[in-house]
Amino acid sequence: MTNRPAKHSLTLRGHRTSVSLEPEFWQAFRAIADSTGMPINALAARIDAERGTDLGLASAIRLHVLRHYRAAAEKGAL
């Protein structure tokens, strides 16, 4: 498995876009969506709406994944 970012297609509010994420971040992102019962496009749209204009979508997703697992570690859930 390569650690290079790969493009993944998403649909945000009816518009197709793509993000480049490393395989580990993409897998973690999908796992978070699955664990919350949220479709991956809906989770991406929520992150997109909350990110502001100074941060790219891929970076916002990476930060979401990081914060999710940090919060889980603090709760002792990992």
Side-chain angles (χ1 to χ4, degrees):
M1 178 182 281
T2 178
N3 289 331
R4 298 187 78 168
K7 285 193 177 194
H8 299 275
S9 295
L10 296 169
T11 303
L12 305 179
R13 293 173 297 283
H15 295 16
R16 297 289 288 170
T17 190
S18 63
V19 294
S20 293
L21 292 172
E22 296 78 5
E24 294 84 358
F25 276 104
W26 183 253
Q27 291 168 357
F29 183 49
R30 290 191 71 81
I32 291 167
D34 289 345
S35 72
T36 60
M38 203 173 203
I40 198 160
N41 288 324
L43 180 55
R46 190 180 83 198
I47 293 168
D48 184 49
E50 296 172 354
R51 71 182 165 103
T53 59
D54 61 335
L55 188 64
L57 180 57
S59 294
I61 290 171
R62 286 185 192 94
L63 288 173
H64 181 84
V65 168
L66 176 65
R67 291 175 183 140
H68 174 87
Y69 284 106
R70 277 188 175 168
E74 287 174 5
K75 291 178 183 176
L78 292 180

